[in-house]
Structures are given as C-alpha cells and as structure tokens.
Amino acid sequence: YFNPKDATLALVRACAVLKEAVLPTGYSMGWLPGDAAAHAIVSLSGGAAKSLDSSLTMTQVYHLIGTGPLLQDVLDGLESRCYRFECVSQDSWRKHLQAVAPHDAILAPAVPLLERISFPPEGVVAVAPPCTGTLWALGNPPKAAWNIGRENLECYIDRWLQDKFVPCPSKIILHPSWSCSSSAQNFEDRRDEPSRIW
C-alpha cells in the first residue's frame, strides 16, 4: 500500500513529526493511482512484446509519473484530521529535520533525499506530467485517470493513521480557535487553478 522509505512519504512523515512545512509551495508528490499504473503496465508491456516480435530493436522506455497531489493538498487532508503545520522557510525546515531525523527510524535513512528537495513557489508544477510518448502509447487516457483525488488521499491518510506512519494528532496541542475542518475545502478549491511548469 505504501513504501515507508519512499522520499515523498518520508516528506509527509517529516512534516507531521516536525509539525511544520515549507508553505506555501507548489511541490507535487508525483503519485499515480494503482489502477492507472496497473493499466499502463499491462498496456505498455503488450506493446513491448509486439515490438520485440517484429524487430530486434530496443524497446521504448516509458515513464509513469503522476501529476499530484500537491504537498499542500496532502497537508490539508491531515489538517482536516486536526494536524497543524507551522509555515517555515526551507532552511529552517532542513535544520529541524537534521535535528529530529536521526532519532526516527523511518526518517533517518531518507534524510539525504529529503535534504535535496526543493520546494517551488505556489502555482509552479515541480513534477512534469507523464511524457507525451507514454500518453500516446496508452491512447491518451483522460488526465483524471492519472490524478490522486480526495477519496484516494483520505484512504491513504486513514492507513497512515492506522499504521502509526504519522504521529497521532491527539499528541498535538490544538489552539481553541482551530477547527479541524477549516482547510478541508482548500483541496477542492485549488484543483482547477492554473499552474506553470517549473
């Protein structure tokens, strides 16, 4: 269901453990729904087999990369479960990560990857969409098939909480004016915002 040593998931855990994030940002997680990945692999492997039968040339390389969700959307999903994240600079976030990560079995091996993450400004897409060749080979599927929607994200968050991948939000002291649902709508509000390739 998830690989806890994946850099993007380590990023989610780091933000939850540190209770802070580099915000606002256009950082994209680059996740791909399992159904879309499975369909793409089956479709592309069938084409590769035909290519091998017809000639001895090297088969094409295909990249399966999702275009979302944004880190902000993931954090909004966690905030709807009473998590809170202080907005900090990239330098401050890295400094705090270096202090905490060595004591965290999941974060420690991911520190070199996490330290190299650049957080682009809000509205900038950090992960390029799947390459044109891949989309063409798949018959140009609708972009919605490659997106992690709110339903998927809620499922992931449920699993992270169940498995204690992220610390329990009950350990976080809430300010009386904070509402657990205050940012839940933000995810839907930003879905159609225009973006630039970074």
Side-chain angles (χ1 to χ4, degrees), residues 13 24 55 64 77 92 95 101 107 126 145 158 177:
R13 180 172 173 86
S55 73
L64 302 177
S92 178
K95 182 179 175 183
L107 293 179
D158 287 342
S177 66

Side-chain angles (χ1 to χ4, degrees), residues 36-60:
H39 174 74
I41 290 167
V42 168
S43 297
L44 295 171
S45 64
K50 288 177 189 172
S51 174
L52 283 174
D53 291 342
S54 63
S55 73
L56 297 175
T57 60
M58 185 182 289
T59 58
Q60 175 109 14

Side-chain angles (χ1 to χ4, degrees), residues 25-102:
T25 183
Y27 185 84
S28 176
M29 306 304 271
W31 296 345
L32 184 65
D35 290 347
H39 174 74
I41 290 167
V42 168
S43 297
L44 295 171
S45 64
K50 288 177 189 172
S51 174
L52 283 174
D53 291 342
S54 63
S55 73
L56 297 175
T57 60
M58 185 182 289
T59 58
Q60 175 109 14
V61 174
Y62 298 101
H63 298 280
L64 302 177
I65 302 168
T67 57
L70 296 176
L71 172 61
Q72 180 66 55
D73 295 335
V74 175
L75 298 180
D76 285 349
L78 288 168
E79 284 184 335
S80 72
R81 309 287 182 98
C82 292
Y83 286 83
R84 291 294 172 257
F85 302 97
E86 181 182 346
C87 300
V88 296
S89 70
Q90 188 164 293
D91 290 337
S92 178
W93 188 84
R94 285 184 178 146
K95 182 179 175 183
H96 297 153
L97 174 69
Q98 290 167 351
V100 171

Side-chain angles (χ1 to χ4, degrees), residues 14-192:
C15 290
V17 167
L18 297 173
K19 300 176 191 157
E20 60 187 30
V22 180
L23 297 171
T25 183
Y27 185 84
S28 176
M29 306 304 271
W31 296 345
L32 184 65
D35 290 347
H39 174 74
I41 290 167
V42 168
S43 297
L44 295 171
S45 64
K50 288 177 189 172
S51 174
L52 283 174
D53 291 342
S54 63
S55 73
L56 297 175
T57 60
M58 185 182 289
T59 58
Q60 175 109 14
V61 174
Y62 298 101
H63 298 280
L64 302 177
I65 302 168
T67 57
L70 296 176
L71 172 61
Q72 180 66 55
D73 295 335
V74 175
L75 298 180
D76 285 349
L78 288 168
E79 284 184 335
S80 72
R81 309 287 182 98
C82 292
Y83 286 83
R84 291 294 172 257
F85 302 97
E86 181 182 346
C87 300
V88 296
S89 70
Q90 188 164 293
D91 290 337
S92 178
W93 188 84
R94 285 184 178 146
K95 182 179 175 183
H96 297 153
L97 174 69
Q98 290 167 351
V100 171
H103 309 288
D104 186 294
I106 294 173
L107 293 179
V111 168
L113 297 172
L114 292 171
E115 288 178 330
R116 286 193 293 258
I117 291 176
S118 293
F119 296 92
E122 191 172 26
V124 174
V125 176
V127 176
C131 73
T132 307
T134 301
L135 292 175
W136 179 84
L138 292 171
N140 292 314
K143 287 185 181 181
W146 289 68
N147 290 334
I148 298 290
R150 183 67 179 202
E151 244 179 64
N152 302 108
L153 196 50
E154 289 298 325
C155 181
Y156 296 164
I157 292 170
D158 287 342
R159 189 64 185 254
W160 298 336
L161 290 169
Q162 176 186 339
D163 293 348
K164 298 179 174 81
F165 179 73
V166 292
C168 180
S170 65
K171 294 180 181 178
I172 298 172
I173 299 170
L174 297 177
H175 187 278
S177 66
W178 288 349
S179 163
C180 292
S181 60
S182 63
S183 64
Q185 187 60 35
N186 291 347
F187 178 86
E188 296 302 327
D189 293 344
R190 272 200 315 279
R191 288 181 72 119
D192 297 321

